[in-house]
């Protein structure tokens, strides 16, 4: 197809990049091309799920199993715009749909358990096990800390995941988090942001 101006040439290039056969009688081809090309990356960036480990105001969470992996109690969806993604607030797992790429950022707190680490593991679907960063929450000086998970992975099939924790020492009153008492405000401990990137 011959173009009469540089602008027509640019429009034609966009239409061809979207694998659309040019048709001078169809004045929606540029819009179709932009929508098709955006659907291959740009529009999926706005899809995200934010989930949390949330408990009532003033609630502590104990860690009683030194050196054992224990599931964090992820139980609340703050927001979710990923079609097919969901949270099982009773089983404390979340499901991600097949054939997508995700970036996960998580922060997992601890208090007075000495050295600790978080994990992101699948329990069905694709085999995924990602270790979070090592962290330290000193037992002797009443200090807390956070292990962070920052990873990108793709799913081939629907996959169910959970967040786990392992600490050097148990701390029974509040090793997973020390509650703040504020009327009308819950305590939020573990937080995850799951972003669809492709």
């Amino acid at each position: 197809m011959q173009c009469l101006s540089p602008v027509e040439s640019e429009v034609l290039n966009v239409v061809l990049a979207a694998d659309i056969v040019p048709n001078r009688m169809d004045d929606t081809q540029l819009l179709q091309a932009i929508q098709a090309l955006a659907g291959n990356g740009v529009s999926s960036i706005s899809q995200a799920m934010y989930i949390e480990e949330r408990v009532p105001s003033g609630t502590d969470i104990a860690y009683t199993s030194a050196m054992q992996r224990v599931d964090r109690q992820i139980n609340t969806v703050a927001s979710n715009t990923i079609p097919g993604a969901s949270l099982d607030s009773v089983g404390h797992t979340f499901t991600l749909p097949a054939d997508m790429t995700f970036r996960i950022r998580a922060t997992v707190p601890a208090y007075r358990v000495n050295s600790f680490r978080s994990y992101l593991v699948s329990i069905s679907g694709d085999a995924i096990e990602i270790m979070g960063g090592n962290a330290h929450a000193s037992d002797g000086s009443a200090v807390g800390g956070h292990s962070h998970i920052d990873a990108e992975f793709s799913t081939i099939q629907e996959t169910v995941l959970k967040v786990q924790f392992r600490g050097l020492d148990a701390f029974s009153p509040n090793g997973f988090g020390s509650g703040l008492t504020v009327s009308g405000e819950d305590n939020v401990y573990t937080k995850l942001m799951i972003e669809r990137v492709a």
Side-chain angles (χ1 to χ4, degrees):
M1 179 176 277
Q2 186 174 11
C3 296
L4 300 176
S5 73
V7 173
E8 284 183 359
S9 180
E10 291 294 328
V11 170
L12 179 61
N13 287 337
V14 174
V15 169
L16 292 173
D19 292 327
I20 296 172
V21 177
N23 178 352
R24 286 194 180 273
M25 302 308 293
D26 185 351
D27 61 1
T28 67
Q29 287 186 306
L30 178 58
L31 176 60
Q32 291 173 40
I34 291 169
Q35 289 172 334
L37 294 170
N40 290 331
V42 177
S43 65
S44 65
I45 292 175
S46 64
Q47 295 179 356
M49 181 167 67
Y50 296 86
I51 54 179
E52 305 169 334
E53 180 179 43
R54 182 179 286 264
V55 295
S57 179
T59 303
D60 295 335
I61 305 177
Y63 175 61
T64 58
S65 304
M67 290 304 294
Q68 299 298 311
R69 281 198 191 187
V70 176
D71 297 347
R72 295 303 299 238
Q73 305 300 299
I74 310 302
N75 59 5
T76 303
V77 176
S79 68
N80 181 13
T81 58
I82 302 174
S86 63
L87 173 71
D88 174 355
S89 61
V90 175
H92 309 293
T93 61
F94 60 98
T95 301
L96 297 178
D99 300 318
M100 294 183 188
T101 300
F102 299 96
R103 174 130 193 222
I104 293 190
R105 293 182 179 149
T107 179
V108 184
Y111 179 69
R112 297 182 75 171
V113 297
N114 282 313
S115 297
F116 66 97
R117 176 183 299 139
S118 58
Y119 304 83
L120 178 68
V121 295
S122 61
I123 60 171
S124 70
D126 296 321
I128 296 170
E129 179 156 340
I130 298 166
M131 274 195 313
N134 289 4
H136 190 77
S138 177
D139 185 30
S141 59
V143 172
H146 291 84
S147 173
H148 298 277
I149 299 169
D150 191 348
E152 188 171 305
F153 61 89
S154 297
T155 56
I156 296 170
Q157 56 191 319
E158 182 178 88
T159 302
V160 179
L161 301 115
K162 62 184 174 180
V163 176
Q164 293 185 320
F165 174 95
R166 183 195 320 254
L168 180 63
D169 296 328
F171 194 66
S172 184
N174 52 6
F176 274 173
S178 182
L180 176 66
T181 303
V182 177
S183 179
E185 291 184 10
D186 289 340
N187 287 317
V188 177
Y189 295 114
T190 300
K191 296 182 73 152
L192 288 89
M193 180 198 74
I194 302 113
E195 180 182 18
R196 180 182 173 194
V197 295

